[in-house]
Amino acid sequence: MSDNYSITDLAREFDVTTRTIRFYEDQELIAPARQGQTRIYSHRDRVRLRLIMRGKRLGFSLKEIRDLLDLYDTDRSEIMQLTILVDKINERRDTLRKQRQDIDATLDELDKLEETCQEELTRKSGN
């Protein structure tokens, strides 16, 4: 595969709109070269876009994603980036577990309310 990609190539590969890719460019998360009006995306841009999409899918904010990408630019050994990423993963996992507990509690409450309503309906209908 070529080391250069068009915006259409990347949009198709990552199943996003070209507008989404331009948004990430506006946010300075990717920086394609230009030939006139045409954007030319490098292998680096493609990797960064893949990391952005993964980060979004996992629920990280754009700021968190930017911070991780910036670390890679300053620490090529990736040690600092990986350490911080592990911390972010643990934070995200804790948040999701708390949300799951909250959802489970809400579902339990809804089940109890429905049961109470069904009992009341049965009582009122005389059955």
Side-chain angles (χ1 to χ4, degrees):
M1 189 167 226
S2 169
D3 283 344
N4 292 320
Y5 308 88
S6 71
I7 194 168
T8 305
D9 293 336
L10 293 180
R12 191 174 301 124
E13 178 179 351
F14 293 103
D15 195 27
V16 296
T17 64
T18 56
R19 183 175 180 170
T20 297
I21 294 173
R22 286 191 300 272
F23 173 77
Y24 294 141
E25 182 183 345
D26 291 343
Q27 297 298 308
E28 299 179 352
L29 296 172
I30 53 177
R34 299 239 184 201
Q35 280 185 345
Q37 296 284 35
T38 304
R39 292 170 171 86
I40 307 295
Y41 295 87
S42 66
H43 176 72
R44 178 180 184 270
D45 293 318
R46 182 176 168 271
V47 169
R48 288 174 73 93
L49 185 56
R50 182 179 337 115
L51 294 173
I52 293 165
M53 300 307 296
R54 178 181 293 157
K56 291 302 292 176
R57 189 173 54 253
L58 294 174
F60 293 117
S61 70
L62 284 182
K63 182 187 179 333
E64 290 171 316
I65 293 167
R66 177 182 292 108
D67 291 346
L68 290 168
L69 292 173
D70 289 348
L71 282 173
Y72 178 75
D73 290 340
T74 58
D75 177 20
R76 292 292 183 175
S77 74
E78 300 181 14
I79 292 170
M80 186 184 311
Q81 182 188 33
L82 290 170
T83 301
I84 291 173
L85 180 56
V86 167
D87 290 343
K88 295 280 183 198
I89 287 169
N90 287 323
E91 287 173 19
R92 183 69 183 138
R93 185 181 294 119
D94 291 345
T95 298
L96 289 170
R97 284 183 176 141
K98 174 65 173 128
Q99 288 173 339
R100 183 170 53 195
Q101 290 172 350
D102 292 344
I103 289 169
D104 288 343
T106 301
L107 288 171
D108 288 345
E109 191 173 332
L110 287 170
D111 290 344
K112 289 174 188 168
L113 179 59
E114 180 186 24
E115 184 179 330
T116 301
C117 290
Q118 291 292 352
E119 289 170 359
E120 189 66 17
L121 275 172
T122 301
R123 188 183 66 74
K124 289 191 181 267
S125 66
N127 293 331

